[in-house]
C-alpha cells in the first residue's frame, strides 16, 4: 500500500514538473526576441525588458524600424517583446498596453492611434511606474515621456517643395489628409502639415490650393474623395496625400481615369504598392520617416527615462524622399541595412 501511495505522489510531482516546463516554454515562445539578441548569460544578460507595440511593420520602413530597435537593444543589453497591432483596432492596442502594465515591463515603446482611451492607458502605465515613448505618431496630451519621429511642419514643407517642382510652380492643388480619429492632436498635426505646405506654395502666385479633404474611410474613401475632387475641379494638376492608404487610393484613381502624367501625386510611405507606383511614374514622390533612427533613438530615450528619470520630450529624426530617380538606391540601402548583422 505504501508503495502505491509513493508511486502516486511521484506521478503527481512529475506531472506538475512537466506542466511547469510546458508553461515556461509557452511564455518564452510568446516573447518575440530578435535573432540578433544573443546574450551571454554570464556577462551580457539583458538589463531591461521592453515591450514594443507597433503597426505597419511589414514594409521597408517597418523592417528598418525593427532593425534600429534590434541593433540598439543588442548594444544596450535590452530584451524586446515586439507586438504587431492593427492601426484601426483600438481595443487590440489597449490590450497590449494593459498586458505590458500587468507584466511590469521596464518600459513601453508605442506606435498607436491617438485616441482618448489610448491616452488614458498611457497615463495609467506611467502612473504605475512604466515609462512610455511614442514613435511615428504622437499622443502629446498623454503623460508619455518622449516622442520619437518626424516633424509635421517639415513634412508639409517637403511636400510643398515636391509639388512645386512637379508642376513648375503653377497650377491647382488638392490635399488629402489622414484623419482616422478626431482629436486635438490630429487637428494640430493637420494644421502643421498645411502650414508647412502653404509656407512653400504661398511663394508662387500661380499656385493655388483648391481643396483640402480629410480621409477617414480607408482606400475606398480616398478613391471616392479624389474622384469627386477631379469632377469638381477638372484643372487640378497635383495632389498631396499624407498617408499610405490615401496615396495608394489616389494613385489607383489616376490610373483608372487615364490621368497619369496629367496629375502629379506626392504621397507618403514606402509600402510595396507605393514603390510600384513610383517605378511606373504614377506617383512623383513619396515622403517617408527615418525608421531605423526612430527605432534606435526610441531605445535610447526610454533608457534615459529608466536610468535618469528624464529625457527630451521630442526627438526629430527627419524624413526621406523617394522618387523614380533614387528608388533603386533607397530599396537597396534598406534591404542591405535589414540584412546586416550587428
Amino acid at each position: 500500500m505504501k508503495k502505491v501511495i509513493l508511486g502516486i505522489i511521484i506521478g503527481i510531482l512529475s506531472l506538475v514538473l512537466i506542466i511547469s516546463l510546458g508553461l515556461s516554454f509557452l511564455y518564452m515562445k510568446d516573447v518575440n526576441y530578435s535573432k540578433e539578441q544573443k546574450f551571454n548569460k554570464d556577462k551580457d544578460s539583458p538589463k531591461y525588458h521592453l515591450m514594443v507595440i507597433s503597426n505597419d511593420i511589414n514594409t521597408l520602413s517597418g523592417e528598418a524600424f525593427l532593425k534600429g530597435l534590434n541593433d540598439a537593444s543588442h548594444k544596450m543589453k535590452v530584451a524586446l517583446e515586439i507586438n504587431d497591432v492593427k492601426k484601426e483596432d483600438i481595443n487590440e492596442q489597449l490590450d497590449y498596453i494593459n498586458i505590458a502594465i500587468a507584466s511590469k515591463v521596464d518600459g513601453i515603446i508605442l506606435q498607436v492611434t491617438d485616441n482618448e482611451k489610448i491616452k488614458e492607458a498611457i497615463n495609467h502605465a506611467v502612473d504605475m511606474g512604466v515609462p512610455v515613448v511614442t514613435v511615428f505618431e504622437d499622443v502629446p496630451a498623454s503623460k508619455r515621456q518622449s516622442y520619437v519621429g518626424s516633424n509635421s511642419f517639415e513634412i508639409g514643407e517637403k511636400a510643398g517643395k515636391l509639388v512645386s517642382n512637379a508642376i513648375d510652380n503653377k497650377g491647382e492643388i488638392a490635399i488629402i489628409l489622414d484623419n482616422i480619429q478626431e482629436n486635438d492632436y490630429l487637428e494640430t498635426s493637420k494644421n502643421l502639415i498645411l502650414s508647412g505646405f502653404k509656407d512653400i506654395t504661398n511663394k508662387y502666385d500661380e499656385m493655388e490650393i483648391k481643396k483640402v479633404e480629410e480621409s477617414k474611410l480607408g482606400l475606398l474613401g480616398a478613391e471616392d474623395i479624389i474622384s469627386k475632387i477631379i469632377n469638381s475641379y477638372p484643372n487640378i494638376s497635383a495632389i498631396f496625400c499624407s498617408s499610405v492608404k490615401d496615396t495608394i487610393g489616389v494613385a489607383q484613381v489616376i490610373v483608372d481615369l487615364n490621368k497619369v502624367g496629367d496629375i502629379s501625386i506626392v504621397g507618403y510611405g514606402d509600402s510595396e504598392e507605393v514603390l510600384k507606383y513610383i517605378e511606373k511614374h504614377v506617383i512623383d514622390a513619396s515622403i517617408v520617416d527615418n525608421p531605423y533612427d526612430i527605432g534606435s533613438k526610441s531605445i535610447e530615450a526610454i533608457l534615459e527615462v529608466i536610468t535618469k528619470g528624464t529625457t527630451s520630450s521630442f526627438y526629430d529624426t527627419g524624413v526621406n524622399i523617394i522618387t523614380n530617380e533614387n528608388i533603386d538606391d533607397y530599396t537597396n540601402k534598406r534591404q542591405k541595412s535589414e540584412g546586416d548583422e550587428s
Side-chain angles (χ1 to χ4, degrees), residues 57-109:
I57 64 175
N58 296 315
T59 63
L60 285 176
S61 287
E63 292 170 358
F65 173 57
L66 293 180
K67 174 68 173 172
L69 286 170
N70 289 330
D71 284 354
S73 64
H74 180 79
K75 178 180 179 181
M76 300 177 191
K77 300 177 184 177
V78 172
L80 297 180
E81 181 178 348
I82 300 171
N83 298 286
D84 186 18
V85 300
K86 298 179 181 65
K87 184 175 182 180
E88 297 81 6
D89 194 338
I90 300 297
N91 290 328
E92 184 183 27
Q93 297 167 21
L94 289 170
D95 286 343
Y96 277 113
I97 296 173
N98 290 328
I99 289 171
I101 297 170
S103 302
K104 297 181 180 179
V105 298
D106 295 300
I108 303 172
I109 295 173

Side-chain angles (χ1 to χ4, degrees), residues 291-307:
Y292 181 91
D293 293 343
I294 292 175
S296 177
K297 183 59 69 174
S298 65
I299 297 286
E300 294 179 26
I302 205 158
L303 289 184
E304 283 185 354
V305 178
I306 294 170
T307 59

Side-chain angles (χ1 to χ4, degrees), residues 31-241:
V31 177
N32 296 316
Y33 294 114
S34 164
K35 66 179 181 179
E36 296 181 310
Q37 293 178 291
K38 299 174 182 176
F39 299 101
N40 182 293
K41 290 183 179 179
D42 296 326
K43 299 191 302 182
D44 299 322
S45 57
K47 294 182 179 179
Y48 304 105
H49 175 200
L50 307 179
M51 181 179 283
V52 180
I53 303 170
S54 180
N55 59 66
D56 294 331
I57 64 175
N58 296 315
T59 63
L60 285 176
S61 287
E63 292 170 358
F65 173 57
L66 293 180
K67 174 68 173 172
L69 286 170
N70 289 330
D71 284 354
S73 64
H74 180 79
K75 178 180 179 181
M76 300 177 191
K77 300 177 184 177
V78 172
L80 297 180
E81 181 178 348
I82 300 171
N83 298 286
D84 186 18
V85 300
K86 298 179 181 65
K87 184 175 182 180
E88 297 81 6
D89 194 338
I90 300 297
N91 290 328
E92 184 183 27
Q93 297 167 21
L94 289 170
D95 286 343
Y96 277 113
I97 296 173
N98 290 328
I99 289 171
I101 297 170
S103 302
K104 297 181 180 179
V105 298
D106 295 300
I108 303 172
I109 295 173
L110 194 62
Q111 179 192 5
V112 295
T113 303
D114 188 12
N115 172 276
E116 185 63 28
K117 291 181 180 179
I118 296 293
K119 183 188 78 172
E120 292 174 359
I122 292 173
N123 292 347
H124 179 54
V126 175
D127 290 341
M128 294 296 290
V130 181
V132 177
V133 169
T134 54
V135 293
F136 292 102
E137 300 177 41
D138 197 10
V139 189
S142 71
K143 294 181 180 179
R144 62 93 175 123
Q145 281 91 344
S146 183
Y147 164 61
V148 181
S150 55
N151 182 293
S152 295
F153 186 86
E154 181 185 5
I155 290 174
E157 277 190 320
K158 296 286 188 184
K161 290 178 182 177
L162 291 167
V163 168
S164 297
N165 292 337
I167 61 177
D168 295 326
N169 307 326
K170 57 184 177 181
E172 298 180 354
I173 305 162
I175 299 175
I176 301 179
L177 301 175
D178 187 29
N179 193 17
I180 291 176
Q181 300 288 333
E182 295 180 359
N183 52 56
D184 291 340
Y185 164 63
L186 284 178
E187 187 69 23
T188 301
S189 178
K190 177 186 71 176
N191 289 338
L192 285 171
I193 291 174
L194 282 176
S195 294
F197 195 95
K198 291 178 179 178
D199 192 56
I200 301 301
T201 58
N202 284 345
K203 297 176 181 179
Y204 305 101
D205 294 335
E206 295 184 77
M207 291 183 67
E208 181 182 4
I209 299 173
K210 298 294 291 187
K211 188 67 174 178
V212 177
E213 284 281 0
E214 297 175 358
S215 175
K216 303 178 185 179
L217 303 174
L219 268 176
L220 293 177
E223 292 176 1
D224 183 57
I225 287 171
I226 197 59
S227 296
K228 290 180 179 178
I229 288 175
I230 292 174
N231 287 332
S232 300
Y233 304 95
N235 294 323
I236 288 289
S237 53
I239 302 165
F240 165 57
C241 304

Side-chain angles (χ1 to χ4, degrees), residues 307-324:
T307 59
K308 300 178 182 179
T310 185
T311 189
S312 173
S313 63
F314 173 42
Y315 286 97
D316 185 358
T317 51
V319 295
N320 288 317
I321 306 299
I322 311 173
T323 66
N324 184 268

